[in-house]
Amino acid sequence: MGISTRTVAGLVMLTAGSLLTGCVANSSNPTVAVRRASMTDDAASIALTLGNPGGRRLTINRVDYELSHGEMALPVASGYWTGDVDLPAGGEAELTLDIKFDEPPLEPDSTLLHLSGVLGHKDHTGFLWLKSMDLGETAFKLDVQAEGESR
């Protein structure tokens, strides 16, 4: 009884998938923290510290976000940022999001902001023939007291 071509092709695909899965498993997810935040009646500026706890360089290339306001956490804005922020292995970088409100905040005395979203990132693996691998997304959720004017 011989091995069929279909069986050999399946084994090759399984081996290739295992190699790539091993590569992704060695990658780390970036971290997100608020460095500072300020707000006015119609906008917020949030400086983020992006961290890379892993051993390979990452590039953040997209941030999808939703911003909510006050104790009731009612949404006031959503959007995205695209570009390239280099995160060295074991290092940090800063990214500031300037967000114009889509809706006016309903709690005039509150400076509480809730930022949630997803970071899109690439891992610069150096694994086999790959210069980088688009790893997908890392979710985050942050609460912060903003400085500046309250409504």
Side-chain angles (χ1 to χ4, degrees):
M1 191 191 259
I3 297 177
S4 72
T5 304
R6 184 178 279 173
T7 302
V8 171
L11 288 173
V12 168
M13 290 175 64
L14 180 61
T15 302
S18 296
L19 288 173
L20 289 176
T21 301
C23 178
V24 172
N26 291 329
S27 178
S28 62
N29 289 326
T31 61
V32 184
V34 174
R35 186 178 189 111
R36 69 184 167 280
S38 61
M39 66 178 280
T40 63
D41 289 344
D42 63 352
S45 180
I46 303 173
L48 302 174
T49 299
L50 306 173
N52 179 4
R56 291 193 294 255
R57 184 170 62 94
L58 299 175
T59 298
I60 304 299
N61 55 13
R62 184 173 178 95
V63 180
D64 294 303
Y65 60 83
E66 180 175 286
L67 184 66
S68 300
H69 175 262
E71 293 295 326
M72 294 187 297
L74 297 172
V76 291
S78 63
Y80 65 92
W81 169 91
T82 59
D84 287 319
V85 174
D86 189 47
L87 276 175
E92 294 182 339
E94 188 172 318
L95 172 65
T96 299
L97 299 175
D98 293 316
I99 304 170
K100 184 165 176 54
F101 297 158
D102 298 328
E103 301 292 330
L106 295 178
E107 296 178 51
D109 295 329
S110 180
T111 58
L112 180 60
L113 296 172
H114 311 274
L115 181 67
S116 60
V118 176
L119 298 177
H121 49 90
K122 293 181 187 177
D123 181 339
H124 300 277
T125 64
F127 181 75
L128 296 176
W129 66 93
L130 299 173
K131 288 185 180 180
S132 67
M133 177 180 283
D134 188 355
L135 293 178
E137 304 173 333
T138 298
F140 66 91
K141 183 173 182 173
L142 306 164
D143 297 326
V144 64
Q145 285 295 149
E147 299 173 358
E149 294 179 30
S150 62
R151 294 191 69 227

